[in-house]
Amino acid sequence: EAQVTQNPRYLITVTGKKLTVTCSQNMNHEYMSWYRQDPGLGLRQIYYSMNVEVTDKGDVPEGYKVSRKEKRNFPLILESPSPNQTSLYFCASSSWVGELFFGEGSRLTVL
Amino acid sequence: ILNVEQSPQSLHVQEGDSTNFTCSFPSSNFYALHWYRWETAKSPEALFVMTLNGDEKKKGRISATLNTKEGYSYLYIKGSQPEDSATYLCAFLDTGRRALTFGSGTRLQVQP
């Protein structure tokens, strides 16, 4: 079954404690991206990757890092989380300009 | 940051009503326009990917049109059903940036 898998789905953490949200896709897609969703603001792109070792900033990259060492994985790293990073995060993948396939979302709370 | 606007922000209709929403996007450097359906507590799912001016796509009771010269797309739902209740997102891809920019969505509620 074609899917995008994110982990963890839910996480409560404290300010400054590094965390990683993993994302994996099994569709051999070149393109992967991370979004955050906040009330009234819609989906905002954090980072995206066109292929292995190729990443670029989206609209709201501050406070986040990503890596793309393998085609299937695109982890999102919060080196020092802050409360303003409390949000619902989605990972997505697609073939070039094809439809995006989204993961189930990761709800993060930073206290 | 590119400006992708959707209207209305929310819409309440009765079962059986037909409805439509608008997505406005920059008319220059157009590459593609996506429509997604996002139900509460689920992930967004793609409805259409549109790439050509004048494109019309249809999936069941849902259809979409595209005007790249003036920078807008319409999504139509014919005979709305309660299961159509969701947020409908459009997303614009331009030739230069290579990354989708989403509108803030139209939230549709269909009353039985």
Side-chain angles (χ1 to χ4, degrees), chain A residues 1-8 21-29 31-34 67-68 70-76 90-94 101-104 106:
Chain A
E1 182 191 351
Q3 59 185 6
V4 178
T5 304
Q6 296 178 226
N7 279 297
V21 187
T22 63
C23 175
S24 181
Q25 52 97 1
N26 63 0
M27 294 167 278
N28 202 36
H29 285 159
Y31 180 90
M32 297 185 75
S33 61
W34 277 101
S67 68
R68 187 91 182 272
E70 305 165 285
K71 199 170 187 180
R72 63 183 292 127
N73 295 323
F74 190 45
L76 179 70
F90 285 100
C91 178
S93 73
S94 74
F101 290 82
F102 285 86
E104 292 179 304
S106 297

PDB file of all heavy atoms in Angstrom, chain A residues 1-8 21-29 31-34 67-68 70-76 90-94 101-104 106:
ATOM      1  N   GLU A   1       0.845  -1.193   0.000  1.00  0.00           N
ATOM      2  CA  GLU A   1       0.000   0.000   0.000  1.00  0.00           C
ATOM      3  C   GLU A   1       0.881   1.243   0.000  1.00  0.00           C
ATOM      4  O   GLU A   1       1.811   1.371   0.774  1.00  0.00           O
ATOM      5  CB  GLU A   1      -0.889   0.004   1.248  1.00  0.00           C
ATOM      6  CG  GLU A   1      -1.834   1.171   1.315  1.00  0.00           C
ATOM      7  CD  GLU A   1      -2.510   1.283   2.685  1.00  0.00           C
ATOM      8  OE1 GLU A   1      -2.359   0.359   3.506  1.00  0.00           O
ATOM      9  OE2 GLU A   1      -3.179   2.285   2.909  1.00  0.00           O
ATOM     10  N   ALA A   2       0.559   2.158  -0.926  1.00  0.00           N
ATOM     11  CA  ALA A   2       1.312   3.408  -1.021  1.00  0.00           C
ATOM     12  C   ALA A   2       1.022   4.271   0.199  1.00  0.00           C
ATOM     13  O   ALA A   2      -0.145   4.510   0.523  1.00  0.00           O
ATOM     14  CB  ALA A   2       0.918   4.157  -2.283  1.00  0.00           C
ATOM     15  N   GLN A   3       2.077   4.710   0.868  1.00  0.00           N
ATOM     16  CA  GLN A   3       1.810   5.530   2.040  1.00  0.00           C
ATOM     17  C   GLN A   3       3.006   6.382   2.439  1.00  0.00           C
ATOM     18  O   GLN A   3       4.147   6.105   2.073  1.00  0.00           O
ATOM     19  CB  GLN A   3       1.378   4.678   3.219  1.00  0.00           C
ATOM     20  CG  GLN A   3       2.361   3.621   3.655  1.00  0.00           C
ATOM     21  CD  GLN A   3       1.775   2.743   4.756  1.00  0.00           C
ATOM     22  OE1 GLN A   3       0.599   2.840   5.137  1.00  0.00           O
ATOM     23  NE2 GLN A   3       2.593   1.875   5.296  1.00  0.00           N
ATOM     24  N   VAL A   4       2.670   7.418   3.223  1.00  0.00           N
ATOM     25  CA  VAL A   4       3.661   8.269   3.862  1.00  0.00           C
ATOM     26  C   VAL A   4       3.456   8.094   5.361  1.00  0.00           C
ATOM     27  O   VAL A   4       2.350   8.280   5.858  1.00  0.00           O
ATOM     28  CB  VAL A   4       3.475   9.746   3.467  1.00  0.00           C
ATOM     29  CG1 VAL A   4       4.498  10.618   4.177  1.00  0.00           C
ATOM     30  CG2 VAL A   4       3.597   9.912   1.952  1.00  0.00           C
ATOM     31  N   THR A   5       4.529   7.720   6.051  1.00  0.00           N
ATOM     32  CA  THR A   5       4.431   7.392   7.472  1.00  0.00           C
ATOM     33  C   THR A   5       5.217   8.389   8.293  1.00  0.00           C
ATOM     34  O   THR A   5       6.411   8.611   8.043  1.00  0.00           O
ATOM     35  CB  THR A   5       4.977   5.977   7.731  1.00  0.00           C
ATOM     36  OG1 THR A   5       4.282   5.048   6.905  1.00  0.00           O
ATOM     37  CG2 THR A   5       4.764   5.593   9.192  1.00  0.00           C
ATOM     38  N   GLN A   6       4.554   8.983   9.257  1.00  0.00           N
ATOM     39  CA  GLN A   6       5.200   9.927  10.161  1.00  0.00           C
ATOM     40  C   GLN A   6       5.198   9.358  11.570  1.00  0.00           C
ATOM     41  O   GLN A   6       4.240   8.737  12.001  1.00  0.00           O
ATOM     42  CB  GLN A   6       4.428  11.255  10.233  1.00  0.00           C
ATOM     43  CG  GLN A   6       4.356  12.044   8.997  1.00  0.00           C
ATOM     44  CD  GLN A   6       3.526  13.297   9.180  1.00  0.00           C
ATOM     45  OE1 GLN A   6       2.695  13.604   8.339  1.00  0.00           O
ATOM     46  NE2 GLN A   6       3.733  14.056  10.249  1.00  0.00           N
ATOM     47  N   ASN A   7       6.279   9.665  12.299  1.00  0.00           N
ATOM     48  CA  ASN A   7       6.341   9.304  13.722  1.00  0.00           C
ATOM     49  C   ASN A   7       7.169  10.345  14.486  1.00  0.00           C
ATOM     50  O   ASN A   7       8.179  10.823  13.962  1.00  0.00           O
ATOM     51  CB  ASN A   7       7.003   7.934  13.885  1.00  0.00           C
ATOM     52  CG  ASN A   7       6.026   6.816  13.637  1.00  0.00           C
ATOM     53  OD1 ASN A   7       5.050   6.658  14.359  1.00  0.00           O
ATOM     54  ND2 ASN A   7       6.259   6.050  12.589  1.00  0.00           N
ATOM     55  N   PRO A   8       6.732  10.680  15.712  1.00  0.00           N
ATOM     56  CA  PRO A   8       5.526  10.195  16.380  1.00  0.00           C
ATOM     57  C   PRO A   8       4.282  10.925  15.885  1.00  0.00           C
ATOM     58  O   PRO A   8       4.391  11.962  15.240  1.00  0.00           O
ATOM     59  CB  PRO A   8       5.804  10.537  17.850  1.00  0.00           C
ATOM     60  CG  PRO A   8       6.637  11.770  17.787  1.00  0.00           C
ATOM     61  CD  PRO A   8       7.517  11.608  16.558  1.00  0.00           C
ATOM     62  N   VAL A  21      11.137  14.374  14.087  1.00  0.00           N
ATOM     63  CA  VAL A  21       9.937  13.743  13.555  1.00  0.00           C
ATOM     64  C   VAL A  21      10.333  13.039  12.268  1.00  0.00           C
ATOM     65  O   VAL A  21      10.848  13.676  11.345  1.00  0.00           O
ATOM     66  CB  VAL A  21       8.823  14.768  13.284  1.00  0.00           C
ATOM     67  CG1 VAL A  21       7.530  14.048  12.900  1.00  0.00           C
ATOM     68  CG2 VAL A  21       8.591  15.663  14.496  1.00  0.00           C
ATOM     69  N   THR A  22      10.112  11.740  12.229  1.00  0.00           N
ATOM     70  CA  THR A  22      10.537  10.993  11.037  1.00  0.00           C
ATOM     71  C   THR A  22       9.430  10.960   9.999  1.00  0.00           C
ATOM     72  O   THR A  22       8.242  11.079  10.310  1.00  0.00           O
ATOM     73  CB  THR A  22      10.928   9.558  11.397  1.00  0.00           C
ATOM     74  OG1 THR A  22       9.771   8.871  11.911  1.00  0.00           O
ATOM     75  CG2 THR A  22      12.032   9.532  12.440  1.00  0.00           C
ATOM     76  N   CYS A  23       9.837  10.835   8.748  1.00  0.00           N
ATOM     77  CA  CYS A  23       8.906  10.716   7.626  1.00  0.00           C
ATOM     78  C   CYS A  23       9.496   9.738   6.635  1.00  0.00           C
ATOM     79  O   CYS A  23      10.660   9.888   6.225  1.00  0.00           O
ATOM     80  CB  CYS A  23       8.674  12.066   6.972  1.00  0.00           C
ATOM     81  SG  CYS A  23       7.641  11.978   5.488  1.00  0.00           S
ATOM     82  N   SER A  24       8.694   8.783   6.211  1.00  0.00           N
ATOM     83  CA  SER A  24       9.149   7.797   5.259  1.00  0.00           C
ATOM     84  C   SER A  24       8.053   7.536   4.228  1.00  0.00           C
ATOM     85  O   SER A  24       6.883   7.457   4.580  1.00  0.00           O
ATOM     86  CB  SER A  24       9.488   6.499   6.005  1.00  0.00           C
ATOM     87  OG  SER A  24       9.954   5.516   5.112  1.00  0.00           O
ATOM     88  N   GLN A  25       8.444   7.433   2.957  1.00  0.00           N
ATOM     89  CA  GLN A  25       7.470   7.122   1.900  1.00  0.00           C
ATOM     90  C   GLN A  25       7.959   5.914   1.109  1.00  0.00           C
ATOM     91  O   GLN A  25       9.163   5.707   0.951  1.00  0.00           O
ATOM     92  CB  GLN A  25       7.239   8.342   0.980  1.00  0.00           C
ATOM     93  CG  GLN A  25       8.512   8.972   0.416  1.00  0.00           C
ATOM     94  CD  GLN A  25       8.912   8.540  -0.957  1.00  0.00           C
ATOM     95  OE1 GLN A  25       8.237   7.729  -1.611  1.00  0.00           O
ATOM     96  NE2 GLN A  25      10.039   9.068  -1.419  1.00  0.00           N
ATOM     97  N   ASN A  26       6.977   5.125   0.602  1.00  0.00           N
ATOM     98  CA  ASN A  26       7.320   3.885  -0.104  1.00  0.00           C
ATOM     99  C   ASN A  26       6.941   3.940  -1.582  1.00  0.00           C
ATOM    100  O   ASN A  26       6.719   2.905  -2.211  1.00  0.00           O
ATOM    101  CB  ASN A  26       6.640   2.696   0.579  1.00  0.00           C
ATOM    102  CG  ASN A  26       5.116   2.785   0.536  1.00  0.00           C
ATOM    103  OD1 ASN A  26       4.549   3.730  -0.007  1.00  0.00           O
ATOM    104  ND2 ASN A  26       4.466   1.789   1.118  1.00  0.00           N
ATOM    105  N   MET A  27       6.852   5.170  -2.129  1.00  0.00           N
ATOM    106  CA  MET A  27       6.407   5.331  -3.513  1.00  0.00           C
ATOM    107  C   MET A  27       7.533   5.753  -4.457  1.00  0.00           C
ATOM    108  O   MET A  27       7.289   6.095  -5.605  1.00  0.00           O
ATOM    109  CB  MET A  27       5.272   6.359  -3.550  1.00  0.00           C
ATOM    110  CG  MET A  27       4.023   5.876  -2.830  1.00  0.00           C
ATOM    111  SD  MET A  27       2.816   7.182  -2.546  1.00  0.00           S
ATOM    112  CE  MET A  27       3.492   7.937  -1.061  1.00  0.00           C
ATOM    113  N   ASN A  28       8.758   5.765  -3.952  1.00  0.00           N
ATOM    114  CA  ASN A  28       9.921   6.155  -4.754  1.00  0.00           C
ATOM    115  C   ASN A  28       9.792   7.586  -5.289  1.00  0.00           C
ATOM    116  O   ASN A  28      10.281   7.895  -6.380  1.00  0.00           O
ATOM    117  CB  ASN A  28      10.145   5.178  -5.926  1.00  0.00           C
ATOM    118  CG  ASN A  28      11.577   5.225  -6.436  1.00  0.00           C
ATOM    119  OD1 ASN A  28      12.530   5.388  -5.666  1.00  0.00           O
ATOM    120  ND2 ASN A  28      11.752   5.095  -7.738  1.00  0.00           N
ATOM    121  N   HIS A  29       9.152   8.449  -4.505  1.00  0.00           N
ATOM    122  CA  HIS A  29       8.964   9.831  -4.933  1.00  0.00           C
ATOM    123  C   HIS A  29      10.241  10.642  -4.777  1.00  0.00           C
ATOM    124  O   HIS A  29      10.965  10.502  -3.795  1.00  0.00           O
ATOM    125  CB  HIS A  29       7.857  10.503  -4.119  1.00  0.00           C
ATOM    126  CG  HIS A  29       6.497  10.070  -4.510  1.00  0.00           C
ATOM    127  ND1 HIS A  29       5.401  10.199  -3.681  1.00  0.00           N
ATOM    128  CD2 HIS A  29       6.021   9.530  -5.669  1.00  0.00           C
ATOM    129  CE1 HIS A  29       4.324   9.761  -4.307  1.00  0.00           C
ATOM    130  NE2 HIS A  29       4.686   9.343  -5.508  1.00  0.00           N
ATOM    131  N   TYR A  31      10.193  14.077  -4.681  1.00  0.00           N
ATOM    132  CA  TYR A  31       9.891  15.297  -3.943  1.00  0.00           C
ATOM    133  C   TYR A  31       9.287  14.962  -2.580  1.00  0.00           C
ATOM    134  O   TYR A  31       8.353  14.152  -2.490  1.00  0.00           O
ATOM    135  CB  TYR A  31       8.907  16.134  -4.769  1.00  0.00           C
ATOM    136  CG  TYR A  31       8.484  17.437  -4.136  1.00  0.00           C
ATOM    137  CD1 TYR A  31       9.199  18.605  -4.371  1.00  0.00           C
ATOM    138  CD2 TYR A  31       7.351  17.511  -3.335  1.00  0.00           C
ATOM    139  CE1 TYR A  31       8.804  19.804  -3.814  1.00  0.00           C
ATOM    140  CE2 TYR A  31       6.951  18.707  -2.772  1.00  0.00           C
ATOM    141  CZ  TYR A  31       7.678  19.848  -3.019  1.00  0.00           C
ATOM    142  OH  TYR A  31       7.287  21.032  -2.457  1.00  0.00           O
ATOM    143  N   MET A  32       9.821  15.579  -1.525  1.00  0.00           N
ATOM    144  CA  MET A  32       9.252  15.453  -0.191  1.00  0.00           C
ATOM    145  C   MET A  32       9.241  16.826   0.466  1.00  0.00           C
ATOM    146  O   MET A  32      10.087  17.675   0.153  1.00  0.00           O
ATOM    147  CB  MET A  32      10.031  14.457   0.667  1.00  0.00           C
ATOM    148  CG  MET A  32       9.995  13.041   0.127  1.00  0.00           C
ATOM    149  SD  MET A  32      10.775  11.813   1.187  1.00  0.00           S
ATOM    150  CE  MET A  32       9.534  11.642   2.508  1.00  0.00           C
ATOM    151  N   SER A  33       8.292  17.039   1.376  1.00  0.00           N
ATOM    152  CA  SER A  33       8.202  18.350   2.011  1.00  0.00           C
ATOM    153  C   SER A  33       7.560  18.239   3.383  1.00  0.00           C
ATOM    154  O   SER A  33       6.896  17.245   3.692  1.00  0.00           O
ATOM    155  CB  SER A  33       7.414  19.325   1.130  1.00  0.00           C
ATOM    156  OG  SER A  33       6.097  18.851   0.929  1.00  0.00           O
ATOM    157  N   TRP A  34       7.783  19.262   4.177  1.00  0.00           N
ATOM    158  CA  TRP A  34       7.184  19.379   5.499  1.00  0.00           C
ATOM    159  C   TRP A  34       6.345  20.648   5.569  1.00  0.00           C
ATOM    160  O   TRP A  34       6.765  21.716   5.091  1.00  0.00           O
ATOM    161  CB  TRP A  34       8.259  19.451   6.593  1.00  0.00           C
ATOM    162  CG  TRP A  34       8.769  18.121   7.021  1.00  0.00           C
ATOM    163  CD1 TRP A  34       9.939  17.524   6.655  1.00  0.00           C
ATOM    164  CD2 TRP A  34       8.119  17.213   7.904  1.00  0.00           C
ATOM    165  NE1 TRP A  34      10.045  16.302   7.252  1.00  0.00           N
ATOM    166  CE2 TRP A  34       8.947  16.080   8.033  1.00  0.00           C
ATOM    167  CE3 TRP A  34       6.899  17.238   8.608  1.00  0.00           C
ATOM    168  CZ2 TRP A  34       8.608  14.991   8.836  1.00  0.00           C
ATOM    169  CZ3 TRP A  34       6.571  16.158   9.404  1.00  0.00           C
ATOM    170  CH2 TRP A  34       7.421  15.050   9.518  1.00  0.00           C
ATOM    171  N   SER A  67      17.090  16.741   6.596  1.00  0.00           N
ATOM    172  CA  SER A  67      18.134  16.066   5.830  1.00  0.00           C
ATOM    173  C   SER A  67      17.470  15.091   4.878  1.00  0.00           C
ATOM    174  O   SER A  67      16.356  14.621   5.128  1.00  0.00           O
ATOM    175  CB  SER A  67      19.123  15.346   6.750  1.00  0.00           C
ATOM    176  OG  SER A  67      18.495  14.244   7.390  1.00  0.00           O
ATOM    177  N   ARG A  68      18.169  14.783   3.784  1.00  0.00           N
ATOM    178  CA  ARG A  68      17.644  13.808   2.822  1.00  0.00           C
ATOM    179  C   ARG A  68      18.817  12.947   2.360  1.00  0.00           C
ATOM    180  O   ARG A  68      19.376  13.115   1.298  1.00  0.00           O
ATOM    181  CB  ARG A  68      16.996  14.539   1.641  1.00  0.00           C
ATOM    182  CG  ARG A  68      16.268  13.615   0.674  1.00  0.00           C
ATOM    183  CD  ARG A  68      14.852  13.429   1.001  1.00  0.00           C
ATOM    184  NE  ARG A  68      14.147  12.524   0.121  1.00  0.00           N
ATOM    185  CZ  ARG A  68      13.542  12.868  -1.017  1.00  0.00           C
ATOM    186  NH1 ARG A  68      13.627  14.116  -1.449  1.00  0.00           N
ATOM    187  NH2 ARG A  68      12.900  11.976  -1.713  1.00  0.00           N
ATOM    188  N   GLU A  70      18.539   9.559   2.187  1.00  0.00           N
ATOM    189  CA  GLU A  70      17.978   8.464   1.380  1.00  0.00           C
ATOM    190  C   GLU A  70      16.703   8.990   0.740  1.00  0.00           C
ATOM    191  O   GLU A  70      16.052   9.875   1.279  1.00  0.00           O
ATOM    192  CB  GLU A  70      17.601   7.275   2.262  1.00  0.00           C
ATOM    193  CG  GLU A  70      18.701   6.745   3.117  1.00  0.00           C
ATOM    194  CD  GLU A  70      18.131   5.837   4.205  1.00  0.00           C
ATOM    195  OE1 GLU A  70      17.563   6.360   5.166  1.00  0.00           O
ATOM    196  OE2 GLU A  70      18.250   4.599   4.050  1.00  0.00           O
ATOM    197  N   LYS A  71      16.338   8.407  -0.379  1.00  0.00           N
ATOM    198  CA  LYS A  71      15.179   8.888  -1.114  1.00  0.00           C
ATOM    199  C   LYS A  71      13.893   8.744  -0.303  1.00  0.00           C
ATOM    200  O   LYS A  71      13.005   9.590  -0.383  1.00  0.00           O
ATOM    201  CB  LYS A  71      15.052   8.103  -2.420  1.00  0.00           C
ATOM    202  CG  LYS A  71      14.187   8.791  -3.460  1.00  0.00           C
ATOM    203  CD  LYS A  71      14.309   8.073  -4.786  1.00  0.00           C
ATOM    204  CE  LYS A  71      13.586   8.840  -5.870  1.00  0.00           C
ATOM    205  NZ  LYS A  71      13.694   8.163  -7.185  1.00  0.00           N
ATOM    206  N   ARG A  72      13.758   7.697   0.468  1.00  0.00           N
ATOM    207  CA  ARG A  72      12.500   7.424   1.135  1.00  0.00           C
ATOM    208  C   ARG A  72      12.305   8.209   2.430  1.00  0.00           C
ATOM    209  O   ARG A  72      11.183   8.339   2.907  1.00  0.00           O
ATOM    210  CB  ARG A  72      12.367   5.934   1.412  1.00  0.00           C
ATOM    211  CG  ARG A  72      13.404   5.358   2.349  1.00  0.00           C
ATOM    212  CD  ARG A  72      13.237   3.857   2.502  1.00  0.00           C
ATOM    213  NE  ARG A  72      11.995   3.550   3.219  1.00  0.00           N
ATOM    214  CZ  ARG A  72      11.069   2.727   2.768  1.00  0.00           C
ATOM    215  NH1 ARG A  72      11.215   2.144   1.597  1.00  0.00           N
ATOM    216  NH2 ARG A  72       9.980   2.494   3.459  1.00  0.00           N
ATOM    217  N   ASN A  73      13.371   8.745   3.025  1.00  0.00           N
ATOM    218  CA  ASN A  73      13.265   9.366   4.346  1.00  0.00           C
ATOM    219  C   ASN A  73      13.554  10.866   4.318  1.00  0.00           C
ATOM    220  O   ASN A  73      14.492  11.319   3.637  1.00  0.00           O
ATOM    221  CB  ASN A  73      14.234   8.702   5.324  1.00  0.00           C
ATOM    222  CG  ASN A  73      13.876   7.256   5.567  1.00  0.00           C
ATOM    223  OD1 ASN A  73      12.709   6.894   5.633  1.00  0.00           O
ATOM    224  ND2 ASN A  73      14.895   6.414   5.712  1.00  0.00           N
ATOM    225  N   PHE A  74      12.794  11.603   5.109  1.00  0.00           N
ATOM    226  CA  PHE A  74      12.967  13.068   5.163  1.00  0.00           C
ATOM    227  C   PHE A  74      12.619  13.533   6.575  1.00  0.00           C
ATOM    228  O   PHE A  74      11.528  14.060   6.827  1.00  0.00           O
ATOM    229  CB  PHE A  74      12.060  13.716   4.113  1.00  0.00           C
ATOM    230  CG  PHE A  74      12.305  15.190   3.885  1.00  0.00           C
ATOM    231  CD1 PHE A  74      13.590  15.690   3.746  1.00  0.00           C
ATOM    232  CD2 PHE A  74      11.241  16.078   3.771  1.00  0.00           C
ATOM    233  CE1 PHE A  74      13.817  17.038   3.514  1.00  0.00           C
ATOM    234  CE2 PHE A  74      11.457  17.432   3.536  1.00  0.00           C
ATOM    235  CZ  PHE A  74      12.744  17.905   3.404  1.00  0.00           C
ATOM    236  N   PRO A  75      13.535  13.354   7.528  1.00  0.00           N
ATOM    237  CA  PRO A  75      13.239  13.724   8.912  1.00  0.00           C
ATOM    238  C   PRO A  75      13.244  15.236   9.139  1.00  0.00           C
ATOM    239  O   PRO A  75      14.020  15.962   8.501  1.00  0.00           O
ATOM    240  CB  PRO A  75      14.370  13.048   9.695  1.00  0.00           C
ATOM    241  CG  PRO A  75      15.486  12.915   8.710  1.00  0.00           C
ATOM    242  CD  PRO A  75      14.849  12.718   7.369  1.00  0.00           C
ATOM    243  N   LEU A  76      12.410  15.668  10.047  1.00  0.00           N
ATOM    244  CA  LEU A  76      12.346  17.076  10.467  1.00  0.00           C
ATOM    245  C   LEU A  76      12.936  17.163  11.868  1.00  0.00           C
ATOM    246  O   LEU A  76      12.510  16.457  12.776  1.00  0.00           O
ATOM    247  CB  LEU A  76      10.899  17.550  10.482  1.00  0.00           C
ATOM    248  CG  LEU A  76      10.657  18.992  10.919  1.00  0.00           C
ATOM    249  CD1 LEU A  76      11.172  19.961   9.851  1.00  0.00           C
ATOM    250  CD2 LEU A  76       9.160  19.227  11.171  1.00  0.00           C
ATOM    251  N   PHE A  90       2.714  18.090   8.944  1.00  0.00           N
ATOM    252  CA  PHE A  90       2.466  17.102   7.899  1.00  0.00           C
ATOM    253  C   PHE A  90       3.699  16.947   7.022  1.00  0.00           C
ATOM    254  O   PHE A  90       4.297  17.928   6.602  1.00  0.00           O
ATOM    255  CB  PHE A  90       1.301  17.518   7.001  1.00  0.00           C
ATOM    256  CG  PHE A  90      -0.038  17.348   7.632  1.00  0.00           C
ATOM    257  CD1 PHE A  90      -0.700  18.440   8.176  1.00  0.00           C
ATOM    258  CD2 PHE A  90      -0.650  16.107   7.671  1.00  0.00           C
ATOM    259  CE1 PHE A  90      -1.950  18.280   8.753  1.00  0.00           C
ATOM    260  CE2 PHE A  90      -1.897  15.949   8.245  1.00  0.00           C
ATOM    261  CZ  PHE A  90      -2.549  17.037   8.792  1.00  0.00           C
ATOM    262  N   CYS A  91       4.022  15.706   6.744  1.00  0.00           N
ATOM    263  CA  CYS A  91       5.003  15.383   5.731  1.00  0.00           C
ATOM    264  C   CYS A  91       4.246  14.966   4.471  1.00  0.00           C
ATOM    265  O   CYS A  91       3.143  14.406   4.566  1.00  0.00           O
ATOM    266  CB  CYS A  91       5.878  14.234   6.223  1.00  0.00           C
ATOM    267  SG  CYS A  91       7.116  13.675   5.040  1.00  0.00           S
ATOM    268  N   ALA A  92       4.815  15.254   3.312  1.00  0.00           N
ATOM    269  CA  ALA A  92       4.158  14.885   2.057  1.00  0.00           C
ATOM    270  C   ALA A  92       5.207  14.523   1.021  1.00  0.00           C
ATOM    271  O   ALA A  92       6.348  14.985   1.090  1.00  0.00           O
ATOM    272  CB  ALA A  92       3.277  16.031   1.546  1.00  0.00           C
ATOM    273  N   SER A  93       4.805  13.713   0.057  1.00  0.00           N
ATOM    274  CA  SER A  93       5.715  13.367  -1.027  1.00  0.00           C
ATOM    275  C   SER A  93       4.954  13.341  -2.340  1.00  0.00           C
ATOM    276  O   SER A  93       3.720  13.222  -2.360  1.00  0.00           O
ATOM    277  CB  SER A  93       6.378  12.005  -0.781  1.00  0.00           C
ATOM    278  OG  SER A  93       5.453  10.942  -0.982  1.00  0.00           O
ATOM    279  N   SER A  94       5.694  13.479  -3.428  1.00  0.00           N
ATOM    280  CA  SER A  94       5.070  13.379  -4.751  1.00  0.00           C
ATOM    281  C   SER A  94       6.148  13.090  -5.786  1.00  0.00           C
ATOM    282  O   SER A  94       7.336  13.307  -5.550  1.00  0.00           O
ATOM    283  CB  SER A  94       4.340  14.674  -5.128  1.00  0.00           C
ATOM    284  OG  SER A  94       5.259  15.692  -5.463  1.00  0.00           O
ATOM    285  N   PHE A 101       1.046  13.325  -1.628  1.00  0.00           N
ATOM    286  CA  PHE A 101       0.515  12.315  -0.717  1.00  0.00           C
ATOM    287  C   PHE A 101       0.973  12.705   0.691  1.00  0.00           C
ATOM    288  O   PHE A 101       2.175  12.844   0.929  1.00  0.00           O
ATOM    289  CB  PHE A 101       1.045  10.927  -1.072  1.00  0.00           C
ATOM    290  CG  PHE A 101       0.484  10.390  -2.350  1.00  0.00           C
ATOM    291  CD1 PHE A 101       1.027  10.762  -3.572  1.00  0.00           C
ATOM    292  CD2 PHE A 101      -0.598   9.521  -2.339  1.00  0.00           C
ATOM    293  CE1 PHE A 101       0.500  10.280  -4.767  1.00  0.00           C
ATOM    294  CE2 PHE A 101      -1.116   9.031  -3.524  1.00  0.00           C
ATOM    295  CZ  PHE A 101      -0.573   9.414  -4.738  1.00  0.00           C
ATOM    296  N   PHE A 102       0.019  12.866   1.582  1.00  0.00           N
ATOM    297  CA  PHE A 102       0.330  13.351   2.924  1.00  0.00           C
ATOM    298  C   PHE A 102       0.399  12.213   3.933  1.00  0.00           C
ATOM    299  O   PHE A 102      -0.337  11.223   3.837  1.00  0.00           O
ATOM    300  CB  PHE A 102      -0.754  14.329   3.388  1.00  0.00           C
ATOM    301  CG  PHE A 102      -0.663  15.681   2.750  1.00  0.00           C
ATOM    302  CD1 PHE A 102      -1.252  15.926   1.527  1.00  0.00           C
ATOM    303  CD2 PHE A 102       0.003  16.710   3.386  1.00  0.00           C
ATOM    304  CE1 PHE A 102      -1.174  17.175   0.926  1.00  0.00           C
ATOM    305  CE2 PHE A 102       0.086  17.977   2.802  1.00  0.00           C
ATOM    306  CZ  PHE A 102      -0.514  18.200   1.569  1.00  0.00           C
ATOM    307  N   GLY A 103       1.266  12.389   4.918  1.00  0.00           N
ATOM    308  CA  GLY A 103       1.242  11.535   6.091  1.00  0.00           C
ATOM    309  C   GLY A 103       0.052  11.885   6.970  1.00  0.00           C
ATOM    310  O   GLY A 103      -0.711  12.810   6.674  1.00  0.00           O
ATOM    311  N   GLU A 104      -0.098  11.152   8.054  1.00  0.00           N
ATOM    312  CA  GLU A 104      -1.266  11.321   8.916  1.00  0.00           C
ATOM    313  C   GLU A 104      -1.149  12.503   9.863  1.00  0.00           C
ATOM    314  O   GLU A 104      -2.101  12.835  10.556  1.00  0.00           O
ATOM    315  CB  GLU A 104      -1.502  10.042   9.712  1.00  0.00           C
ATOM    316  CG  GLU A 104      -1.936   8.878   8.828  1.00  0.00           C
ATOM    317  CD  GLU A 104      -2.146   7.624   9.644  1.00  0.00           C
ATOM    318  OE1 GLU A 104      -1.215   7.208  10.349  1.00  0.00           O
ATOM    319  OE2 GLU A 104      -3.264   7.067   9.582  1.00  0.00           O
ATOM    320  N   SER A 106       1.556  14.918  12.620  1.00  0.00           N
ATOM    321  CA  SER A 106       2.176  14.776  13.938  1.00  0.00           C
ATOM    322  C   SER A 106       1.833  16.008  14.760  1.00  0.00           C
ATOM    323  O   SER A 106       2.174  17.133  14.368  1.00  0.00           O
ATOM    324  CB  SER A 106       3.702  14.661  13.805  1.00  0.00           C
ATOM    325  OG  SER A 106       4.066  13.500  13.099  1.00  0.00           O
TER     326      SER A 106
END
